[in-house]
Amino acid sequence: MDLEKVVCDCLGITNGMIKDAVDAGASTLEEVQEKTEAGTVCGACNEDIQHLVDFFVKERDN
Ligand code: FES
């Protein structure tokens, strides 16, 4: 996974920033949105962010 890759173009939010939010305790798309504001402008990235959240939560909790 490329942590530098931008997932949310509106806000320039990268995969790594989603990972940081999950590592800081966020476990759902909504919690990641609260922490990072990712996906709160046009919403086009929310499906991708959801996949990332699922992936990083699994990694964190294993
Ligand atoms: S690309 Fe993420 S809110 Fe628009």
mmCIF file of all heavy atoms in Angstrom, residues 7-11 37-46 49, ligand 1:
data_model
loop_
_atom_site.group_PDB
_atom_site.id
_atom_site.type_symbol
_atom_site.label_atom_id
_atom_site.label_comp_id
_atom_site.label_asym_id
_atom_site.label_seq_id
_atom_site.Cartn_x
_atom_site.Cartn_y
_atom_site.Cartn_z
ATOM 1 N N VAL A 7 -6.213 9.801 -1.388
ATOM 2 C CA VAL A 7 -7.497 9.106 -1.552
ATOM 3 C C VAL A 7 -8.632 10.113 -1.688
ATOM 4 O O VAL A 7 -9.606 9.879 -2.394
ATOM 5 C CB VAL A 7 -7.755 8.117 -0.397
ATOM 6 C CG1 VAL A 7 -7.796 8.805 0.958
ATOM 7 C CG2 VAL A 7 -9.053 7.347 -0.623
ATOM 8 N N CYS A 8 -8.499 11.249 -1.014
ATOM 9 C CA CYS A 8 -9.522 12.297 -1.081
ATOM 10 C C CYS A 8 -8.922 13.524 -1.756
ATOM 11 O O CYS A 8 -8.147 14.262 -1.150
ATOM 12 C CB CYS A 8 -10.001 12.642 0.332
ATOM 13 S SG CYS A 8 -11.210 13.984 0.371
ATOM 14 N N ASP A 9 -9.266 13.688 -3.037
ATOM 15 C CA ASP A 9 -8.689 14.782 -3.827
ATOM 16 C C ASP A 9 -9.135 16.141 -3.318
ATOM 17 O O ASP A 9 -8.380 17.109 -3.369
ATOM 18 C CB ASP A 9 -9.089 14.634 -5.299
ATOM 19 C CG ASP A 9 -8.308 13.522 -5.976
ATOM 20 O OD1 ASP A 9 -7.106 13.384 -5.692
ATOM 21 O OD2 ASP A 9 -8.910 12.792 -6.785
ATOM 22 N N CYS A 10 -10.363 16.245 -2.854
ATOM 23 C CA CYS A 10 -10.874 17.547 -2.398
ATOM 24 C C CYS A 10 -10.000 18.143 -1.304
ATOM 25 O O CYS A 10 -9.776 19.339 -1.265
ATOM 26 C CB CYS A 10 -12.296 17.412 -1.868
ATOM 27 S SG CYS A 10 -13.521 17.153 -3.151
ATOM 28 N N LEU A 11 -9.528 17.292 -0.405
ATOM 29 C CA LEU A 11 -8.805 17.777 0.776
ATOM 30 C C LEU A 11 -7.356 17.316 0.808
ATOM 31 O O LEU A 11 -6.637 17.604 1.766
ATOM 32 C CB LEU A 11 -9.539 17.336 2.050
ATOM 33 C CG LEU A 11 -10.932 17.960 2.195
ATOM 34 C CD1 LEU A 11 -11.761 17.217 3.227
ATOM 35 C CD2 LEU A 11 -10.821 19.419 2.580
ATOM 36 N N GLU A 37 -11.864 15.011 8.299
ATOM 37 C CA GLU A 37 -12.757 15.667 7.348
ATOM 38 C C GLU A 37 -12.712 15.032 5.961
ATOM 39 O O GLU A 37 -13.330 15.529 5.020
ATOM 40 C CB GLU A 37 -12.497 17.179 7.261
ATOM 41 C CG GLU A 37 -12.864 17.869 8.555
ATOM 42 C CD GLU A 37 -12.752 19.381 8.503
ATOM 43 O OE1 GLU A 37 -12.227 19.904 7.506
ATOM 44 O OE2 GLU A 37 -13.191 20.012 9.466
ATOM 45 N N ALA A 38 -11.968 13.926 5.811
ATOM 46 C CA ALA A 38 -11.910 13.209 4.536
ATOM 47 C C ALA A 38 -13.319 12.828 4.105
ATOM 48 O O ALA A 38 -14.127 12.367 4.918
ATOM 49 C CB ALA A 38 -11.059 11.949 4.669
ATOM 50 N N GLY A 39 -13.612 13.039 2.825
ATOM 51 C CA GLY A 39 -14.893 12.592 2.295
ATOM 52 C C GLY A 39 -16.067 13.496 2.617
ATOM 53 O O GLY A 39 -17.214 13.138 2.346
ATOM 54 N N THR A 40 -15.801 14.671 3.172
ATOM 55 C CA THR A 40 -16.910 15.527 3.600
ATOM 56 C C THR A 40 -17.202 16.664 2.611
ATOM 57 O O THR A 40 -18.044 17.504 2.891
ATOM 58 C CB THR A 40 -16.639 16.132 4.989
ATOM 59 O OG1 THR A 40 -15.455 16.920 4.923
ATOM 60 C CG2 THR A 40 -16.479 15.049 6.044
ATOM 61 N N VAL A 41 -16.500 16.689 1.477
ATOM 62 C CA VAL A 41 -16.758 17.762 0.503
ATOM 63 C C VAL A 41 -17.655 17.241 -0.620
ATOM 64 O O VAL A 41 -18.864 17.478 -0.608
ATOM 65 C CB VAL A 41 -15.456 18.385 -0.036
ATOM 66 C CG1 VAL A 41 -15.776 19.521 -1.003
ATOM 67 C CG2 VAL A 41 -14.599 18.890 1.122
ATOM 68 N N CYS A 42 -17.096 16.476 -1.579
ATOM 69 C CA CYS A 42 -17.943 15.974 -2.678
ATOM 70 C C CYS A 42 -18.468 14.566 -2.405
ATOM 71 O O CYS A 42 -19.455 14.150 -3.000
ATOM 72 C CB CYS A 42 -17.172 15.994 -3.996
ATOM 73 S SG CYS A 42 -15.992 14.655 -4.162
ATOM 74 N N GLY A 43 -17.783 13.835 -1.533
ATOM 75 C CA GLY A 43 -18.238 12.494 -1.156
ATOM 76 C C GLY A 43 -17.844 11.387 -2.120
ATOM 77 O O GLY A 43 -18.098 10.216 -1.841
ATOM 78 N N ALA A 44 -17.200 11.735 -3.230
ATOM 79 C CA ALA A 44 -16.870 10.724 -4.239
ATOM 80 C C ALA A 44 -15.889 9.678 -3.722
ATOM 81 O O ALA A 44 -15.836 8.569 -4.242
ATOM 82 C CB ALA A 44 -16.291 11.391 -5.480
ATOM 83 N N CYS A 45 -15.116 10.027 -2.711
ATOM 84 C CA CYS A 45 -14.068 9.140 -2.207
ATOM 85 C C CYS A 45 -14.533 8.240 -1.070
ATOM 86 O O CYS A 45 -13.768 7.414 -0.589
ATOM 87 C CB CYS A 45 -12.893 9.981 -1.722
ATOM 88 S SG CYS A 45 -13.413 11.130 -0.437
ATOM 89 N N ASN A 46 -15.768 8.392 -0.634
ATOM 90 C CA ASN A 46 -16.195 7.685 0.582
ATOM 91 C C ASN A 46 -16.105 6.169 0.478
ATOM 92 O O ASN A 46 -15.769 5.490 1.449
ATOM 93 C CB ASN A 46 -17.612 8.101 0.978
ATOM 94 C CG ASN A 46 -17.599 9.374 1.798
ATOM 95 O OD1 ASN A 46 -16.700 9.595 2.592
ATOM 96 N ND2 ASN A 46 -18.582 10.225 1.597
ATOM 97 N N ILE A 49 -12.526 5.306 0.932
ATOM 98 C CA ILE A 49 -12.132 5.498 2.332
ATOM 99 C C ILE A 49 -12.681 4.357 3.188
ATOM 100 O O ILE A 49 -11.984 3.838 4.063
ATOM 101 C CB ILE A 49 -12.617 6.863 2.857
ATOM 102 C CG1 ILE A 49 -11.895 7.988 2.112
ATOM 103 C CG2 ILE A 49 -12.353 6.981 4.363
ATOM 104 C CD1 ILE A 49 -12.426 9.365 2.428
HETATM 105 S S1 FES B 1 -12.670 13.515 -3.073
HETATM 106 FE FE1 FES B 1 -13.026 13.310 -0.956
HETATM 107 S S2 FES B 1 -14.659 14.679 -0.544
HETATM 108 FE FE2 FES B 1 -14.253 14.959 -2.639
#
